[in-house]
Amino acid sequence: MKKIIVSPSLLSADFNNLGKDIEMINRSEADWFHLDIMDGVFVPNISFGLPVVKSVKKLAQKPLDVHLMIVQPERYITAFKNAGADILTVHYEACTHLHRTIQEIKAADMKAGVSVNPHTSVKLLEDILPEIDLVLIMSVNPGFGGQSFIKNSLKKITEIRNLANVVNPEVIIEVDGGVDTNNHREIVKAGANALVAGSAVFGAENPTEAIAKLKTI
Ligand code: DX5
Ligand code: ZN
């Protein structure tokens, strides 16, 4: 059976009780913690920053999967490493010198990811693909939790999986936005092997059970 990585997004967690939600993820079948960093410039919303990442790191018993939705992410690589990031994903659209940024993330001893917005063709990742550990396909326009999955993403997932099979079969293909227990199977079938879920986990009556369902294909 295919192993699916599940990375619950803390954006939908209860910020008054973050410790409780972190412990729930620690005890669950989830693999990673997904942390959404928004600067109010690259995306029209501001989320949380380095002090929160540092606090999460103190309790988290699983890797921190940090998704930077910020302009000029290269300015903060060391800061996120020091805050406890294990995987650092930057946006294709936010990096003028993406190759250099990826090398810097890897030199800082983190896994390097590249994310693409819904309008960005995955064909543009062909040359960076051999260098990276993870591709993050945005299946909503980034900035907010709780939006609906954009159907066209399925085609993009298959396209990047086919490309990866040739140049980097080990690369993780992660999907973020509108993923839930109704559509996760078709997302995996299209070629994804990592799922981010915010509202589908924290909005569920039983978040632990929702995580377990997302792991089951
Ligand atoms: C959106 C973020 C997502 C978000 C997903 O900009 O990158 O990680 O938290 O939330 P859901 O799963 O509710 O779409
Ligand atoms: Zn995200």
Side-chain angles (χ1 to χ4, degrees):
M1 210 169 68
K2 207 161 153 184
K3 171 148 173 28
I4 305 304
I5 293 165
V6 171
S7 191
S9 166
L10 288 184
L11 195 61
S12 299
D14 177 1
F15 286 97
N16 281 327
N17 274 298
L18 207 45
K20 194 171 140 264
D21 283 346
I22 294 167
E23 293 302 348
M24 180 279 290
I25 296 176
N26 280 339
R27 285 191 306 267
S28 77
E29 289 180 51
D31 298 273
W32 298 341
F33 287 81
H34 188 81
L35 282 83
D36 289 300
I37 313 298
M38 304 178 183
D39 66 355
V41 179
F42 182 71
V43 288
N45 194 12
I46 297 175
S47 57
F48 51 81
L50 292 159
V52 174
V53 178
K54 233 178 229 165
S55 303
V56 172
K57 187 69 177 179
K58 284 191 193 140
L59 294 180
Q61 290 162 8
K62 297 172 182 184
L64 302 194
D65 166 31
V66 177
H67 177 193
L68 298 183
M69 283 160 276
I70 65 175
V71 295
Q72 298 181 312
E74 64 280 357
R75 294 186 297 160
Y76 295 100
I77 293 170
T78 314
F80 278 101
K81 171 67 187 177
N82 293 340
D86 296 282
I87 304 156
L88 197 62
T89 296
V90 295
H91 265 263
Y92 176 89
E93 302 85 359
C95 297
T96 309
H97 297 287
L98 182 60
H99 187 278
R100 180 184 290 144
T101 302
I102 294 303
Q103 301 311 321
E104 286 174 3
I105 294 172
K106 293 200 290 191
D109 206 23
M110 291 178 282
K111 299 252 186 258
V114 175
S115 183
V116 284
N117 279 337
H119 73 275
T120 303
S121 168
V122 291
K123 291 186 186 77
L124 294 167
L125 298 180
E126 191 175 355
D127 291 300
I128 200 71
L129 203 49
E131 310 291 330
I132 61 182
D133 301 290
L134 180 145
V135 172
L136 180 61
I137 303 288
M138 285 312 301
S139 41
V140 298
N141 286 297
F144 306 93
Q147 304 179 80
S148 309
F149 184 85
I150 298 171
K151 269 272 183 187
N152 184 57
S153 314
L154 293 172
K155 199 185 85 199
K156 292 175 74 174
I157 295 162
T158 303
E159 201 176 346
I160 192 70
R161 175 55 73 196
N162 290 339
L163 215 55
N165 282 344
V166 182
V167 295
N168 185 358
E170 294 303 310
V171 79
I172 294 167
I173 298 175
E174 186 176 36
V175 178
D176 185 6
V179 177
D180 60 31
T181 51
N182 294 314
N183 62 16
H184 74 293
R185 280 193 180 80
E186 59 176 342
I187 295 168
V188 168
K189 214 169 118 204
N193 62 335
L195 303 171
V196 175
S199 45
V201 168
F202 294 101
E205 215 163 289
N206 185 335
T208 312
E209 211 174 270
I211 291 168
K213 271 191 195 153
L214 290 169
K215 293 278 296 181
T216 316
I217 298 302

